[in-house]
Amino acid sequence: SGPQGAIEFCNIQAYPLVDSVEASMDVQIRRTSLKIRNPENAATALEKRILQAYQYNQEQGSELTANVQELEDDYLLYTQPIVIENSLCLNCHGKVGETVSQDTYQLIKGLYPADSATGFEKGDLRGMWSIKMARKEIVSRL
């Protein structure tokens, strides 16, 4: 249904899908960014440092790759950068008035009044996946 359908899907159906994967895999899954759409997805202090490292690496022309951090209490944090690789993403995350239509932007602002997740171009770092998992769960699945 175009950008409007995608916005409604992300707003209503994406969270239950993530919740079901979290429950079945016993992990905590988040999408976060330095420019968030939903305030609930704000980066933690550690996630912010990792996002800034991804941003720096991209600015230096380095390849962005997945990362694993050891956390306290025998947990691991897996992160995977999200890069805007096709123009379809720009319908909601691009430049307002250029790739994001005014109608789409009004819908976004209606659902996410504090939105700052626009202005991106193809190839930009959009954010990252952040998956926290217990080390014992990983070992038990091997």
Side-chain angles (χ1 to χ4, degrees):
S1 301
Q4 287 79 10
I7 293 165
E8 290 172 10
F9 176 85
C10 288
N11 181 259
I12 297 168
Q13 296 184 31
Y15 291 107
L17 289 173
V18 169
D19 291 346
S20 69
V21 172
E22 284 181 326
S24 69
M25 301 297 290
D26 196 24
V27 297
Q28 295 172 1
I29 303 172
R30 293 172 30 84
R31 277 181 306 167
T32 190
S33 177
L34 296 173
K35 293 174 67 175
I36 59 172
R37 176 148 288 160
N38 184 339
E40 293 179 17
N41 296 333
T44 65
L46 175 58
E47 289 170 335
K48 187 173 182 179
R49 288 193 307 272
I50 295 169
L51 282 162
Q52 289 168 334
Y54 281 137
Q55 187 71 48
Y56 176 81
N57 285 343
Q58 187 177 52
E59 290 167 359
Q60 300 305 308
S62 299
E63 181 181 355
L64 302 183
T65 59
N67 187 321
V68 176
Q69 303 281 326
E70 290 188 59
L71 303 176
E72 72 288 340
D73 302 327
D74 214 26
Y75 281 87
L76 299 174
L77 180 68
Y78 170 85
T79 60
Q80 174 71 45
I82 301 169
V83 176
I84 295 182
E85 296 189 2
N86 66 62
S87 57
L88 186 61
C89 301
L90 300 178
N91 288 318
C92 296
H93 294 289
K95 295 180 181 175
V96 178
E98 292 181 25
T99 57
V100 179
S101 73
Q102 288 299 328
D103 289 342
T104 298
Y105 188 61
Q106 290 309 312
L107 181 58
I108 291 168
K109 289 303 259 186
L111 294 169
Y112 306 101
D115 176 62
S116 67
T118 57
F120 291 96
E121 296 179 359
K122 191 173 176 183
D124 284 350
L125 175 68
R126 166 67 188 97
M128 72 179 186
W129 287 101
S130 177
I131 304 172
K132 182 178 176 182
M133 59 198 93
R135 184 187 306 267
K136 68 180 180 178
E137 289 297 321
I138 297 168
V139 172
S140 72
R141 294 177 193 268
L142 295 177

